[in-house]
Amino acid sequence: MSILNDIWNRIARKPDRRKAAVTETSGTKNRVYAVVTEEGVILFSDTPKGMKARNSYLQHLADGFFNVTKVPETLRIYEIDLPTKRVAGLADNCIEKLSKADLRSTDAQLRRSVVNFTSDKFADRSVLDGGVCRAKFDLRPDFHNFDRLTKEFGLGISPRNYDVASLLYISENGYAGIVAADKVHPFSYEYEFRELAEKLGDSMRARMNAPLSAHDFGYAALQKEAKEMAADLLQSEFHITDGEFRLGARISRIERMEMSHPVSYPHSEEEQTGGLPETHYRQEAPEQRMSDSQRQVKHAASITPQKKEKKQLIL
């Protein structure tokens, strides 16, 4: 649970004062940092302005961490101690308008300045010559990947990312009551887990009242259901399955139930004419459909008594 506690403490987007202080005192005259993803390379100077711009870019990546349309899957940070004049000139080019208030602030990011991370701000990989890779981060949609990135740089967590991170945690570890008890940002899917949470509470109380019993009072089965429910929500709402973005890769629990117990839905024409409904996954072609009378002739035996032939009387 300590992992979730760390995430909740960062939800309010409070600046990490310790990291901000380090940022302002660790600058060197020539060093340049390169942040590399599949989209390209962005360069930042090792100055308070450059480090705040770098953290703003990392926040940009964190905000889109669970976006199915995102491109980056890997993040690398390089140090270039002796950059060429060309490389040094490309540093901090993402800052379009710098606010002096940001320089005076102890915040670790640029809050009032205008920054832009569009494709024209990226440099080619040739600028990495002579650089040393100091850190590597996996950006695939996994709980631990997200937690490591946001914790390492003291990044903020949006409400949407909080929901996804919580669902990922539940899908791996089971439901934790502290998810619903969070006061900073309510868990958006608390209602879906409410009934299950009540049953888990009853199970845990039963276990506490019978400490010598080897029976788990259904706890393991309930947690398995919670994991499956979270996995289904991740796929249906965010297209995440097993730490990967997959469109339509998983059939939800509701769909599985409907397939095992098909429900009949009447067509609009049949509602008007009073015809028999068809199941939602089976339809006949128009030329193959038969009238009710034809179905009766084909499948039901006639109950009309056969006419007896009249025998001719021979005199």
Side-chain angles (χ1 to χ4, degrees), residues 143-158:
F143 174 84
H144 300 284
N145 294 341
F146 178 72
D147 178 65
R148 178 176 176 240
L149 176 67
T150 53
K151 182 187 295 183
E152 181 72 19
F153 298 101
L155 304 176
I157 299 174
S158 66

Side-chain angles (χ1 to χ4, degrees), residues 29 80 93 119 123 163-164 174 183 188 206 239 263 304:
K29 184 176 181 180
I80 307 173
N93 68 340
S119 58
D163 285 337
V164 181
K183 303 301 181 184
S188 299
H239 307 292
V263 180
T304 305

Side-chain angles (χ1 to χ4, degrees), residues 15-32:
D16 191 324
R17 304 296 182 183
R18 178 179 58 82
K19 290 183 181 294
V22 171
T23 296
E24 295 182 0
T25 59
S26 63
T28 59
K29 184 176 181 180
N30 297 319
R31 180 182 298 163
V32 170

Side-chain angles (χ1 to χ4, degrees), residues 96-148:
E96 296 186 345
K97 185 178 181 180
L98 180 64
S99 171
K100 292 182 179 180
D102 280 329
L103 295 179
R104 294 191 298 266
S105 172
T106 58
D107 199 303
Q109 299 181 29
L110 297 176
R111 301 295 185 183
R112 300 185 180 182
S113 301
V114 178
V115 293
N116 189 355
F117 304 119
T118 53
S119 58
D120 59 302
K121 303 299 182 181
F122 291 97
D124 58 78
R125 290 181 175 267
S126 64
V127 300
L128 300 177
D129 294 343
V132 178
C133 183
R134 296 298 187 186
K136 179 181 178 181
F137 296 86
D138 192 341
L139 299 184
R140 287 176 296 180
D142 175 82
F143 174 84
H144 300 284
N145 294 341
F146 178 72
D147 178 65
R148 178 176 176 240

